[in-house]
Amino acid sequence: MVERENKSLILGLDVGGTHVDAVVLEGKRVIDKVKIPIESDDLFEPIWTALLKLIKDKKDSISQINLSTTVATNAIAQDKLEPVGMIIESGPGVDLSHLTVKGGVFFISGYIDHRGVEIKPFNTNEIFLAKNLFKSKGINLCGVVTKFSVRNPSHEIKIWELLKNDFEFISLGHKLSGKLNFPRRINTTYLNSATYPSFKRFYKGIIEALEKEKIKTQVNILKADGGTVELETAKDYPVYTILSGPAASILGALALGVPKEDGIIIDIGGTTTDIAFVIQGIPMLEPFGIKIGDYNTLVRALYSFSIGLGGDSAIKIIKGKLKIGPEREGFPKALGGPSPTPSDAMITLGLLDLGNKEQAIKSIKDISIILGLDTKSCAELILKEMVGSIKKAVEKALDSINNKPVTTIKELLYGKKISPKFLFLIGGPAKALAPFLKEEFGVPCYVPKLYDVANALGAALAKKTFEINLFINTADEILSVPELGICKKINKSFTFEEAQKLSLSLLREWALSKGMREEEFESEIIESTSFNIVRGFYTCGKNIRIKAQIKPGLLFSLGEIENA
């Protein structure tokens, strides 16, 4: 963790499914905060309003804007992904006939083997057949994945050249991860394209709001692992931001003083509830790829999962039983929404002061009549059902986690069983639900003072990170680092160990050149592969790929919690 004073203003802004939350920091103080409702798919208005309320005459004092968002996460949790046409070259030995995505799948011939050698070229006519099939279905997003593209991306690149003018957006598997897991790379590529429209709306809203206010400053967005990437870069890699919102929540909770024990961070939003675990106060990490919904991915992420349950989830009676979510049909009845929600139950019980209380009570009373309960008992039942669903999700996750080695952002732990000793609650409904969650889980509940904007705070306090990719082909004696504009000749004897050391050295030089102090610098290698290059019957060199990054973390901690 980095300790430093900085009197320039930092703006943290989280765009969720129901609200834009934002904070402004001056040094180590939060000097203002705001929560603006999102009323349509057009994100410009709430983002602009949040900026307007916070910055006023301080535009020239903003040194940095850090963003996080749950828009892509919510699209997956609510099954609102856009259709994607997937072109897949699987080669022999893999049966993917069961694969289904929202859109369509077209398998093509052709094959590049594990050495990166082309065994069979693909048939160009198949690409045009795939295009015509997808276009006939109105599909305007595409993903292209060939089995060993991380060792030879030529087929993916050639297919992109053929299709680049025919689709709004095309994702290529080799650009998203250097790891070999083919099914996970397919899912990652699919989600990168399927979440593109959601992220594009978010991106457009941010850019328009900044342009309207004539704000010119560095803008970063949180990745799933708590690191940051420039907003302009993230536009082509929305899959990296799938768990951006939950990552911000975890960082916000850490900044607000998570106890140094095993525990659970629960961020209750309007659309989803995000759940994460800490081991002795240290977040868990999924270094090989997070699972979100039904999709195993290659997205390196702080471990968390989302359930389609929030304060604004629609409440229905199905066959005489309560059903809460995963759909969000709009605002609570108290704010003129179409369906009763848990927020209306909280308002009915006096736990939340929001909107038209009489309208909230009426909506809960209508449900209570169907269930044969009085209004108060019905409201309590709704919240007990809600926290019961949260507990079931937590127990299911714990069963899975405790049956395998776990990785924290510090180390890999074998045989460690997580036994939560506390709940750390953030998000708008956190304080209202704390008594119910405390009773359900039977452990202390902590609610920090800034619980309602903890996600925006986490975004604001995220340390700036940067990653580089080092590529080496010893057969051709070439070394390149695209991010740094490096491309030079090397000796054929260049080793994997030398490549690792060089990547960390180059990363350090870059960080120091950008003003990072020596004591702030922490680096890590997050991907590394080396395999033989075979030409004819002989090994003629090695293909080495190293991805290194500045380790994610917090600028500083505020450390304010209180027991609920």
Side-chain angles (χ1 to χ4, degrees), residues 269-299:
T271 306
T272 60
T273 292
D274 301 324
I275 300 166
F277 299 98
V278 292
I279 301 172
Q280 297 300 308
I282 300 171
M284 286 179 57
L285 180 71
E286 285 280 7
F288 303 111
I290 196 75
K291 180 177 182 179
I292 180 165
D294 295 327
Y295 305 99
N296 288 304
T297 76
L298 290 172
V299 178

Short mmCIF file of all heavy atoms in Angstrom, two decimals, residues 269-299:
data_model
loop_
_atom_site.label_atom_id
_atom_site.label_comp_id
_atom_site.label_asym_id
_atom_site.label_seq_id
_atom_site.Cartn_x
_atom_site.Cartn_y
_atom_site.Cartn_z
N GLY A 269 -26.30 -3.58 -4.38
CA GLY A 269 -26.67 -2.50 -5.28
C GLY A 269 -28.16 -2.52 -5.59
O GLY A 269 -28.94 -3.20 -4.92
N GLY A 270 -28.53 -1.79 -6.62
CA GLY A 270 -29.92 -1.77 -7.01
C GLY A 270 -30.29 -2.96 -7.86
O GLY A 270 -31.41 -3.49 -7.77
N THR A 271 -29.34 -3.42 -8.69
CA THR A 271 -29.60 -4.51 -9.64
C THR A 271 -29.01 -5.83 -9.19
O THR A 271 -29.62 -6.89 -9.34
CB THR A 271 -29.03 -4.14 -11.03
OG1 THR A 271 -29.55 -2.87 -11.42
CG2 THR A 271 -29.41 -5.19 -12.06
N THR A 272 -27.78 -5.78 -8.66
CA THR A 272 -27.09 -7.00 -8.24
C THR A 272 -26.50 -6.84 -6.85
O THR A 272 -26.36 -5.73 -6.34
CB THR A 272 -25.94 -7.36 -9.22
OG1 THR A 272 -25.00 -6.28 -9.22
CG2 THR A 272 -26.45 -7.61 -10.62
N THR A 273 -26.16 -7.97 -6.26
CA THR A 273 -25.36 -8.00 -5.04
C THR A 273 -24.05 -8.68 -5.39
O THR A 273 -24.04 -9.79 -5.93
CB THR A 273 -26.08 -8.76 -3.91
OG1 THR A 273 -27.23 -8.00 -3.51
CG2 THR A 273 -25.17 -8.95 -2.71
N ASP A 274 -22.94 -8.00 -5.10
CA ASP A 274 -21.60 -8.53 -5.39
C ASP A 274 -20.99 -9.03 -4.09
O ASP A 274 -21.03 -8.34 -3.06
CB ASP A 274 -20.71 -7.46 -6.00
CG ASP A 274 -21.28 -6.90 -7.30
OD1 ASP A 274 -21.89 -7.69 -8.05
OD2 ASP A 274 -21.14 -5.69 -7.55
N ILE A 275 -20.42 -10.23 -4.14
CA ILE A 275 -19.91 -10.88 -2.94
C ILE A 275 -18.46 -11.26 -3.14
O ILE A 275 -18.08 -11.81 -4.19
CB ILE A 275 -20.75 -12.14 -2.61
CG1 ILE A 275 -22.21 -11.74 -2.37
CG2 ILE A 275 -20.19 -12.88 -1.39
CD1 ILE A 275 -23.19 -12.89 -2.36
N ALA A 276 -17.62 -10.96 -2.16
CA ALA A 276 -16.20 -11.29 -2.21
C ALA A 276 -15.76 -11.78 -0.83
O ALA A 276 -16.44 -11.53 0.18
CB ALA A 276 -15.37 -10.08 -2.63
N PHE A 277 -14.63 -12.47 -0.80
CA PHE A 277 -14.10 -12.99 0.46
C PHE A 277 -12.70 -12.42 0.69
O PHE A 277 -11.94 -12.18 -0.25
CB PHE A 277 -14.00 -14.52 0.42
CG PHE A 277 -15.33 -15.20 0.23
CD1 PHE A 277 -15.73 -15.64 -1.03
CD2 PHE A 277 -16.19 -15.40 1.30
CE1 PHE A 277 -16.94 -16.26 -1.22
CE2 PHE A 277 -17.42 -16.02 1.12
CZ PHE A 277 -17.80 -16.45 -0.13
N VAL A 278 -12.37 -12.20 1.97
CA VAL A 278 -11.01 -11.84 2.35
C VAL A 278 -10.49 -12.89 3.32
O VAL A 278 -11.23 -13.45 4.12
CB VAL A 278 -10.90 -10.44 2.99
CG1 VAL A 278 -11.20 -9.37 1.97
CG2 VAL A 278 -11.84 -10.30 4.19
N ILE A 279 -9.19 -13.19 3.21
CA ILE A 279 -8.52 -14.13 4.10
C ILE A 279 -7.51 -13.34 4.90
O ILE A 279 -6.55 -12.79 4.35
CB ILE A 279 -7.84 -15.26 3.29
CG1 ILE A 279 -8.89 -16.01 2.46
CG2 ILE A 279 -7.11 -16.22 4.22
CD1 ILE A 279 -8.30 -17.02 1.50
N GLN A 280 -7.75 -13.24 6.21
CA GLN A 280 -6.94 -12.37 7.08
C GLN A 280 -6.88 -10.95 6.52
O GLN A 280 -5.85 -10.28 6.55
CB GLN A 280 -5.54 -12.94 7.25
CG GLN A 280 -5.50 -14.30 7.94
CD GLN A 280 -6.10 -14.26 9.35
OE1 GLN A 280 -5.72 -13.42 10.18
NE2 GLN A 280 -7.07 -15.14 9.62
N GLY A 281 -8.02 -10.51 5.98
CA GLY A 281 -8.13 -9.15 5.45
C GLY A 281 -7.55 -8.95 4.07
O GLY A 281 -7.51 -7.83 3.57
N ILE A 282 -7.10 -10.05 3.41
CA ILE A 282 -6.49 -9.96 2.08
C ILE A 282 -7.45 -10.55 1.05
O ILE A 282 -7.92 -11.68 1.22
CB ILE A 282 -5.15 -10.71 2.04
CG1 ILE A 282 -4.18 -10.11 3.07
CG2 ILE A 282 -4.53 -10.64 0.65
CD1 ILE A 282 -2.91 -10.92 3.25
N PRO A 283 -7.74 -9.83 -0.04
CA PRO A 283 -8.69 -10.33 -1.03
C PRO A 283 -8.19 -11.58 -1.75
O PRO A 283 -6.99 -11.76 -1.96
CB PRO A 283 -8.83 -9.17 -2.03
CG PRO A 283 -8.32 -7.99 -1.32
CD PRO A 283 -7.28 -8.48 -0.36
N MET A 284 -9.13 -12.42 -2.14
CA MET A 284 -8.82 -13.58 -2.97
C MET A 284 -8.62 -13.13 -4.42
O MET A 284 -9.16 -12.11 -4.85
CB MET A 284 -9.94 -14.60 -2.89
CG MET A 284 -9.99 -15.37 -1.60
SD MET A 284 -11.38 -16.54 -1.61
CE MET A 284 -11.01 -17.50 -3.09
N LEU A 285 -7.87 -13.94 -5.15
CA LEU A 285 -7.56 -13.65 -6.54
C LEU A 285 -7.83 -14.89 -7.38
O LEU A 285 -7.56 -16.01 -6.94
CB LEU A 285 -6.09 -13.24 -6.68
CG LEU A 285 -5.58 -12.88 -8.08
CD1 LEU A 285 -6.16 -11.55 -8.53
CD2 LEU A 285 -4.05 -12.82 -8.09
N GLU A 286 -8.37 -14.69 -8.58
CA GLU A 286 -8.50 -15.76 -9.56
C GLU A 286 -7.46 -15.51 -10.65
O GLU A 286 -7.75 -14.88 -11.67
CB GLU A 286 -9.91 -15.78 -10.15
CG GLU A 286 -10.97 -16.33 -9.23
CD GLU A 286 -10.98 -17.86 -9.22
OE1 GLU A 286 -10.09 -18.46 -9.83
OE2 GLU A 286 -11.89 -18.42 -8.60
N PRO A 287 -6.22 -15.98 -10.47
CA PRO A 287 -5.16 -15.63 -11.42
C PRO A 287 -5.32 -16.25 -12.79
O PRO A 287 -4.80 -15.73 -13.78
CB PRO A 287 -3.89 -16.15 -10.73
CG PRO A 287 -4.37 -17.26 -9.84
CD PRO A 287 -5.74 -16.85 -9.38
N PHE A 288 -6.03 -17.39 -12.88
CA PHE A 288 -6.16 -18.07 -14.16
C PHE A 288 -7.45 -17.75 -14.89
O PHE A 288 -7.67 -18.18 -16.02
CB PHE A 288 -6.04 -19.58 -13.96
CG PHE A 288 -4.77 -19.98 -13.28
CD1 PHE A 288 -4.78 -20.49 -11.99
CD2 PHE A 288 -3.55 -19.82 -13.92
CE1 PHE A 288 -3.60 -20.83 -11.36
CE2 PHE A 288 -2.36 -20.16 -13.29
CZ PHE A 288 -2.38 -20.67 -12.01
N GLY A 289 -8.34 -16.99 -14.25
CA GLY A 289 -9.57 -16.59 -14.92
C GLY A 289 -10.80 -16.78 -14.07
O GLY A 289 -10.98 -17.83 -13.44
N ILE A 290 -11.64 -15.77 -14.04
CA ILE A 290 -12.84 -15.78 -13.22
C ILE A 290 -13.98 -16.50 -13.95
O ILE A 290 -14.01 -16.54 -15.18
CB ILE A 290 -13.28 -14.32 -12.90
CG1 ILE A 290 -14.29 -14.28 -11.75
CG2 ILE A 290 -13.82 -13.64 -14.14
CD1 ILE A 290 -13.70 -14.50 -10.41
N LYS A 291 -14.88 -17.08 -13.16
CA LYS A 291 -16.13 -17.58 -13.72
C LYS A 291 -17.21 -16.56 -13.40
O LYS A 291 -17.38 -16.16 -12.25
CB LYS A 291 -16.50 -18.94 -13.13
CG LYS A 291 -17.81 -19.48 -13.70
CD LYS A 291 -18.15 -20.87 -13.17
CE LYS A 291 -19.45 -21.37 -13.83
NZ LYS A 291 -19.82 -22.73 -13.37
N ILE A 292 -17.95 -16.16 -14.43
CA ILE A 292 -19.06 -15.23 -14.22
C ILE A 292 -20.28 -15.78 -14.93
O ILE A 292 -20.22 -16.12 -16.12
CB ILE A 292 -18.71 -13.80 -14.69
CG1 ILE A 292 -19.90 -12.86 -14.45
CG2 ILE A 292 -18.23 -13.76 -16.12
CD1 ILE A 292 -19.56 -11.40 -14.54
N GLY A 293 -21.36 -15.93 -14.19
CA GLY A 293 -22.53 -16.61 -14.74
C GLY A 293 -22.16 -18.03 -15.10
O GLY A 293 -21.57 -18.77 -14.30
N ASP A 294 -22.46 -18.44 -16.31
CA ASP A 294 -22.13 -19.79 -16.78
C ASP A 294 -20.81 -19.84 -17.53
O ASP A 294 -20.47 -20.87 -18.11
CB ASP A 294 -23.25 -20.31 -17.70
CG ASP A 294 -24.57 -20.48 -16.97
OD1 ASP A 294 -24.55 -20.81 -15.77
OD2 ASP A 294 -25.63 -20.26 -17.59
N TYR A 295 -20.05 -18.75 -17.50
CA TYR A 295 -18.88 -18.65 -18.36
C TYR A 295 -17.57 -18.69 -17.58
O TYR A 295 -17.30 -17.82 -16.74
CB TYR A 295 -18.93 -17.34 -19.17
CG TYR A 295 -20.20 -17.18 -19.97
CD1 TYR A 295 -21.24 -16.40 -19.51
CD2 TYR A 295 -20.35 -17.83 -21.19
CE1 TYR A 295 -22.42 -16.26 -20.23
CE2 TYR A 295 -21.51 -17.70 -21.93
CZ TYR A 295 -22.54 -16.92 -21.44
OH TYR A 295 -23.71 -16.78 -22.17
N ASN A 296 -16.76 -19.72 -17.84
CA ASN A 296 -15.38 -19.75 -17.36
C ASN A 296 -14.53 -18.94 -18.33
O ASN A 296 -14.54 -19.20 -19.54
CB ASN A 296 -14.86 -21.19 -17.31
CG ASN A 296 -15.48 -21.98 -16.17
OD1 ASN A 296 -15.41 -21.58 -15.02
ND2 ASN A 296 -16.11 -23.10 -16.50
N THR A 297 -13.80 -17.97 -17.81
CA THR A 297 -13.06 -17.05 -18.66
C THR A 297 -11.56 -17.09 -18.34
O THR A 297 -11.11 -17.76 -17.41
CB THR A 297 -13.55 -15.60 -18.49
OG1 THR A 297 -13.04 -15.07 -17.25
CG2 THR A 297 -15.07 -15.53 -18.51
N LEU A 298 -10.80 -16.34 -19.10
CA LEU A 298 -9.37 -16.13 -18.84
C LEU A 298 -9.11 -14.74 -18.27
O LEU A 298 -7.98 -14.26 -18.30
CB LEU A 298 -8.58 -16.33 -20.13
CG LEU A 298 -8.50 -17.77 -20.65
CD1 LEU A 298 -7.87 -17.82 -22.03
CD2 LEU A 298 -7.73 -18.66 -19.68
N VAL A 299 -10.14 -14.11 -17.72
CA VAL A 299 -10.00 -12.76 -17.17
C VAL A 299 -9.45 -12.87 -15.74
O VAL A 299 -10.11 -13.37 -14.83
CB VAL A 299 -11.35 -12.01 -17.15
CG1 VAL A 299 -11.17 -10.63 -16.53
CG2 VAL A 299 -11.90 -11.88 -18.57
#
